[in-house]
Amino acid sequence: MFSIAALTVLFISSSCKKCDAGNENVSTGEIIQGAIIYPDHGFLTLEFDSYLFNENTSHTGVFEVSFDGGLTKVAVDYSQYSVMGNPMTVNCEASFVRDVTRDNINNLVTYNVTATTCNSCKERRTVENYVLVNKIPDGAYTLQFLNQEIVK
């Protein structure tokens, strides 16, 4: 009797496949590595027509940046940097690959976000995907924002 119960538990636990969306976010391309963007309140991307934030954008003071893992925060230096956002609503357990590329020949900047999520986590959440990049002058490039969600 005990062996049947043990086999049943073993069978159920080995046949139940737990989803792993990954726990590490990756930033590539033009994104400044190690920079963490802090908005002064949530869902800023809903307030703006563009997801590129420069010194000419209204509310430029809404962002701070940390280069030391969040220990200190300073105002974004818009003479050197731009902030980009690429919002998406995804399942609650997610990992992200964020990539910004700059094509100087075609004057195109592309910000692509790929989120890997778990189907078992049904609650949805909005992530604004803010990143810091070297300055992108207003009007100098066509901006392209792409995103996709891969559900496991």
Side-chain angles (χ1 to χ4, degrees):
M1 178 85 142
F2 176 74
S3 62
I4 293 173
L7 285 173
T8 302
V9 169
L10 181 64
F11 175 75
I12 290 172
S13 64
S14 65
S15 65
C16 183
K17 189 175 183 181
K18 182 168 170 59
C19 175
D20 181 12
N23 57 0
E24 189 171 320
N25 296 320
V26 177
S27 296
T28 61
E30 298 279 320
I31 298 171
I32 305 299
Q33 297 299 308
I36 304 169
I37 300 295
Y38 293 95
D40 72 353
H41 64 280
F43 306 114
L44 286 172
T45 52
L46 298 176
E47 297 179 24
F48 298 96
D49 294 334
S50 173
Y51 301 140
L52 174 68
F53 301 92
N54 277 329
E55 71 275 357
N56 297 327
T57 307
S58 61
H59 301 87
T60 56
V62 299
F63 295 106
E64 290 183 312
V65 62
S66 176
F67 296 100
D68 60 8
L71 295 175
T72 59
K73 300 173 191 171
V74 297
V76 174
D77 179 356
Y78 289 105
S79 69
Q80 291 186 15
Y81 301 111
S82 297
V83 174
M84 297 184 80
N86 189 346
M88 58 191 301
T89 301
V90 297
N91 288 346
C92 54
E93 185 176 337
S95 64
F96 297 89
V97 175
R98 297 175 181 98
D99 180 62
V100 175
T101 57
R102 188 184 309 227
D103 178 350
N104 292 320
I105 294 172
N106 295 305
N107 295 329
L108 176 68
V109 173
T110 302
Y111 182 9
N112 187 33
V113 178
T114 302
T116 301
T117 67
C118 291
N119 192 36
S120 59
C121 190
K122 299 293 185 192
E123 185 179 320
R124 304 285 283 171
R125 65 184 175 115
T126 299
V127 180
E128 294 187 290
N129 293 304
Y130 292 120
V131 295
L132 189 70
V133 296
N134 287 318
K135 184 165 183 61
I136 300 170
D138 288 326
Y141 290 85
T142 300
L143 304 174
Q144 183 176 27
F145 297 89
L146 307 172
N147 56 50
Q148 66 176 348
E149 181 178 5
I150 299 170
V151 181
K152 288 184 167 184

